[in-house]
Amino acid sequence: MGNVEYKQLDLKSIDLTDTTFVITYGFTLTQLKKSIEKIGILNPPLVKKKSEEQYRIVCGYKRLLVCQDIGIEELRCAVMGQNIEDKDTFLTSLYDNLSHRALNPVEKSITISKLQKYYSGEIIVKNFLPLLGLNSHYSVLDRIKPLSGLDVKIKDAVVDGRIDEGVAAKFLNFSEKDRELIFQLLSALRFSKNKQNEVIDNFYDITKKDGCSISSILDAKELRDILADSSLNIPQKGSRVRYFLRKLRYPKIVKAEKDFLEMKKNLNLGDSIKLTPPPSFEGDKYCIEFQFETLDDLEENLKRIDSIKQNKEFKRIIEG
Amino acid sequence: MVRYIPRKIIVDTKVRDSLLTDNVLNNLPGVPVEYVADASTAIDAIRGGKDPLCVGKKVLLLTENRGRFLKPCPGTKEYICCGYQILNFATNCNLECSYCILQSYLNNPAMVVYANAEDMFAELEDKLSQDSESIYRIGTGEFTDSLALDHLTGFAKLIVPYFAHKGNVILELKTKTDNIGNLIDLQHNGNTVISWSLNTEEVAQREEFFAPSIDDRIDAAFKCQKVGYRLGFHFDPLIYYTGWEEGYQKTLERLFAKIDTRNVSWISMGGFRFLPELKPVIQKRFPQSKIIYDEFVPGMDGKMRYFKPIRIEMYSKMLEWIRDYDPKLCVYLCMESREVWRKVFKEDRVENSENLAKILDNTGDNK
Ligand code: SF4
């Protein structure tokens, strides 16, 4: 890199709160701290002058934070020439990061937001998304870009893999207060990514369908009882919460499922005969299945099956 | 209704001398025109750009259809299909219905008119003369609105008189517009059915942004009735919402106040259905729309459909209301299972797609 001068700088002269060129998010300093304490800083941070007395960080944000943490007062830095444009300074920071690690989703989002200061959406989609390991498409830009604006808790959960990146983007459909409420629930019940998606979609759809708020859903006695029930473990609570939301989202379908189970009970088919409706009751093919060992067994099962033709409720379901 | 005017016209040089190209360019003086030997670069740029669906609709592409113009309707074996043939003369539509399936179906986001009409007529001649015994029901409104661009293309002036002299064809022009100016003086010989997609006024206002009001559609149908066209009406998509019963009854009332049921070839009904990919598109493009938040289940064709009892309830009530006006009206269901047909019509009158096609062939032919 041309136009760089090495200088011994007072740490206080580097503004650690100025993250104009920084894209790093979601890190711990423990390992780096150990290494710096042991062997010092091998690679001097890169900074650029922002005023007479102050410098701005370009590369080496974490190294500088460790220095501050362990009380280093002075260190050798590479100082970028003032003639280098901000756009190129930012690219230096970006390429430096990309040269030694993959960015996490929040960092990609931060990068995109910062690139927008210098480039059109078209250039970002075409040139920079592939560089970040993303598909070169506007829809990807639209999905990733807002992540950096999420609440810290959610961003942290994305970085450490507790919340799926796709689910995180869906949080943005809610108000800050609602995001907090949903986040608490998802975190407490430790849903898998698929289930997180299902739950957040159902929350959103219910508010749209019924015009209600997230807090009114969460305030329902049934839900509070599930969450407060100490006899249930986390997966049990999770599946009950999902069922509760499903009932609100699909009341007719859930009722039909319940009615079918009730009717099936009344058919007295016993344990060995399985009666299955078409998926979502959409097709018209019902399935009866049983196993038998002896001819008497077979006879008995066939008799039971034959008897269900007389059941009024069953007839209504089949014939309409 | 505001008629469609593109911001830009792209003309594929292969169709620069076609009659349809001439019509469009003469009807749009002042709109910038770009001639290209290969439209794919321009299309790719729209597709890869910001908001391709919105930007695409502002560009009218005149190009050639290199495949077949006439194709069977892509029905699925799981549901009973009406056995329609689609005449693919254009794709995409500017009317911006929130529920429009084309938003997740078409690869090309531009408004496309296939201007090589000579090839289309050659194909039709060939196909129709091969089998003069069969009746063909041909429609142009599957991948576009049949009349939305007619003030620019004058396509109806070509196609209606052409089919007027064919004995074995019923042409259906399906629309939501009142763009019928070209139709009025045409010789149609009873071979063309003009049909309207109708809904409740609430749905029209909330979900069919640039389409005329229901009254305007009915007025347009009335004008076509006056010049002897047979008419069709499609209650598709039926939308389930609080107040749907009153809404659809009102539409029927307005319809039959003006339209003589004897001039109606058919009325179809189809519940709202959509490919799962359409949901995020509607959420993004039409955030105020609530139609996707009802109770849908995956259909046997992969599309999301209203839970079956909801569909049966809607169809049964609609049928009853329609029959109150005229019990002899030909009413059919679009893409429904034999079971739903049986439960709605209380008889097993339509067992499969061939059955339904025959009923519609006879009704449409009943001049
Ligand atoms: S009129 Fe038909 S083709 Fe046009 S936008 Fe509406 S649904 Fe789509």
Side-chain angles (χ1 to χ4, degrees), chain A residues 122 125 136-139 141-142 145 201 204-211 249-254 256-257 278-284 286 316-320, chain B residues 47-52 79 240 279 283-284 287-290 292-300 305-311 313 336-340 342-343:
Chain A
E122 203 180 328
V125 169
S136 174
H137 206 282
Y138 265 97
S139 60
L141 181 74
D142 289 345
K145 197 175 73 182
D201 283 347
Y204 186 71
D205 288 4
I206 294 163
T207 59
K208 286 282 181 183
K209 179 168 94 69
D210 298 340
R249 175 65 186 91
Y250 301 105
K252 290 194 170 74
I253 299 174
V254 171
E257 288 164 355
S280 312
F281 299 99
E282 177 55 26
D284 52 4
Y286 286 73
R316 192 191 61 76
I317 287 177
I318 302 295
E319 288 178 347
Chain B
R47 207 187 282 135
K50 198 166 171 59
D51 205 352
Y79 296 102
Y240 191 67
K279 186 174 174 183
Q283 283 174 322
K284 189 168 172 215
Q288 76 298 341
S289 175
K290 287 189 170 186
I292 39 178
Y293 301 111
D294 219 295
E295 295 194 54
F296 295 96
V297 296
M300 293 178 282
R305 303 167 157 257
Y306 284 123
F307 185 41
K308 198 160 59 186
I310 299 178
R311 283 161 24 223
E313 181 197 349
E336 275 300 351
S337 65
R338 184 176 172 185
E339 181 205 356
V340 171
R342 198 176 61 228
K343 288 180 174 169

Side-chain angles (χ1 to χ4, degrees), chain A residues 113-130:
Chain A
S113 302
K114 294 195 171 175
L115 282 169
Q116 276 183 316
K117 258 178 50 197
Y118 314 115
Y119 296 99
S120 68
E122 203 180 328
I123 300 279
I124 296 175
V125 169
K126 221 169 112 195
N127 300 347
F128 288 98
L129 292 191

Side-chain angles (χ1 to χ4, degrees), chain B residues 93 95-97 99-100 102 145 176:
Chain B
C93 177
L95 296 182
E96 290 286 32
C97 302
Y99 52 74
C100 182
L102 299 180
D145 179 288
K176 277 194 185 98

Side-chain angles (χ1 to χ4, degrees), chain A residues 177-235:
Chain A
K177 189 178 132 227
D178 289 346
R179 289 203 292 268
E180 171 67 28
L181 293 171
I182 298 170
F183 180 73
Q184 275 175 13
L185 187 83
L186 293 187
S187 305
L189 297 176
R190 292 185 225 143
F191 287 119
S192 68
K193 287 177 183 172
N194 281 344
K195 288 175 186 161
Q196 287 175 10
N197 259 303
E198 175 199 303
V199 167
I200 200 160
D201 283 347
N202 278 343
F203 268 123
Y204 186 71
D205 288 4
I206 294 163
T207 59
K208 286 282 181 183
K209 179 168 94 69
D210 298 340
C212 61
S213 66
I214 292 295
S215 49
S216 72
I217 301 172
L218 292 171
D219 246 6
K221 185 175 178 309
E222 186 179 343
L223 186 67
R224 280 188 288 125
D225 287 349
I226 297 169
L227 296 174
D229 190 339
S230 54
S231 69
L232 300 174
N233 61 27
I234 288 178

Side-chain angles (χ1 to χ4, degrees), chain A residues 289-300:
Chain A
E289 220 180 311
F290 63 86
Q291 293 183 340
F292 61 94
E293 266 181 56
T294 62
L295 287 180
D296 284 349
D297 241 11
L298 172 64
E299 178 86 34
E300 176 59 22

